[in-house]
Amino acid sequence: FWKKKKRSEKIKVLSREKSNFNDIYVIQKGAKREMWFRKKNDFFLQSRININEPGTLILIYSKMMIAALLLQPAPRSILMIGLGGCAVSNFLARLYPHVVIDVVEVDRKVIDLAKNFFYLNETSNYRVHHKDGRRFVQDASSREPYDLIYLDAFKSGSIPFHLKTIQFYQDLVRILSP
């Protein structure tokens, strides 16, 4: 009887960036690449991809977010507030290459890390906007409404307060199609 020894893979820190919003780590263990936010001694997982299969969703929450497509299976436009490692937005861009996808991210360092480590590839239909999500929503009131809106913005382990107010959700309703 021969037992296979599991080779322990080392965790590599690919990048660490500090911004006004987050202390960000990009790490890799084997084929898993992750983005983490750190606040004091706590770490919060933001995104995970398999670099050998970057088109698949790994984290349960990202798979659950896609369930919104059951309510709107043929969106013409999608708004995502919060980029992280762009697993969900990249998945949606591959699934719907002709759909307009606007992603809003307040942290420039997150955008840069997504481009450098998580295969963010903007197109004419898939755009990342460097802006505060609340301001973007307020400014979007004059455009065509979105068919689907995802709120996936985090600062460390919580949603920023200004994206949890009644006023913000009222603004979201104004830019959401029936």
Side-chain angles (χ1 to χ4, degrees):
F1 180 69
W2 194 224
K3 272 191 174 179
K4 236 183 185 180
K5 283 190 177 179
K6 198 174 187 180
R7 213 182 320 159
S8 69
E9 297 170 333
K10 291 185 179 179
I11 294 175
K12 297 176 192 169
V13 177
L14 302 179
S15 184
R16 179 181 180 197
E17 298 286 338
K18 286 189 177 187
S19 72
N20 292 335
F21 304 97
N22 294 295
D23 187 3
I24 310 162
Y25 289 78
V26 175
I27 66 165
Q28 188 160 328
K29 183 177 181 182
K32 291 181 184 171
R33 186 171 294 165
E34 300 171 341
M35 181 180 287
W36 290 80
F37 291 170
R38 179 180 178 196
K39 182 177 183 181
K40 296 183 182 174
N41 291 325
D42 293 323
F43 287 83
F44 302 93
L45 179 61
Q46 300 300 305
S47 193
R48 177 182 294 145
I49 63 168
N50 179 331
I51 61 169
N52 297 328
E53 299 176 39
T56 60
L57 295 173
I58 297 174
L59 295 176
I60 298 296
Y61 100 92
S62 59
K63 292 177 182 181
M64 302 232 359
M65 289 178 74
I66 298 305
L69 296 172
L70 294 170
L71 301 172
Q72 179 52 278
R76 292 165 302 177
S77 61
I78 298 171
L79 172 61
M80 178 166 257
I81 301 171
L83 175 66
C86 62
V88 174
S89 57
N90 280 352
F91 180 87
L92 291 168
R94 278 188 292 281
L95 186 63
Y96 297 111
H98 301 295
V99 167
V100 171
I101 301 174
D102 287 322
V103 182
V104 183
E105 175 57 56
V106 70
D107 195 334
R108 168 54 69 187
K109 301 253 184 195
V110 168
I111 296 169
D112 294 341
L113 291 169
K115 287 179 181 177
N116 293 331
F117 296 101
F118 293 90
Y119 309 106
L120 173 61
N121 185 23
E122 294 177 83
T123 67
S124 60
N125 287 344
Y126 175 27
R127 299 174 303 252
V128 176
H129 306 270
H130 177 220
K131 195 169 189 177
D132 180 270
R134 185 170 186 153
R135 293 212 185 253
F136 185 90
V137 167
Q138 289 169 340
D139 294 345
S141 60
S142 62
R143 73 171 303 283
E144 288 290 314
Y146 290 97
D147 295 320
L148 195 55
I149 299 175
Y150 288 98
L151 179 56
D152 192 24
F154 291 93
K155 181 178 182 196
S156 298
S158 65
I159 299 170
F161 176 77
H162 70 292
L163 300 182
K164 296 191 288 188
T165 65
I166 291 170
Q167 294 81 11
F168 177 65
Y169 283 94
Q170 288 170 340
D171 290 341
L172 284 175
V173 168
R174 281 194 266 293
I175 66 167
L176 182 62
S177 65

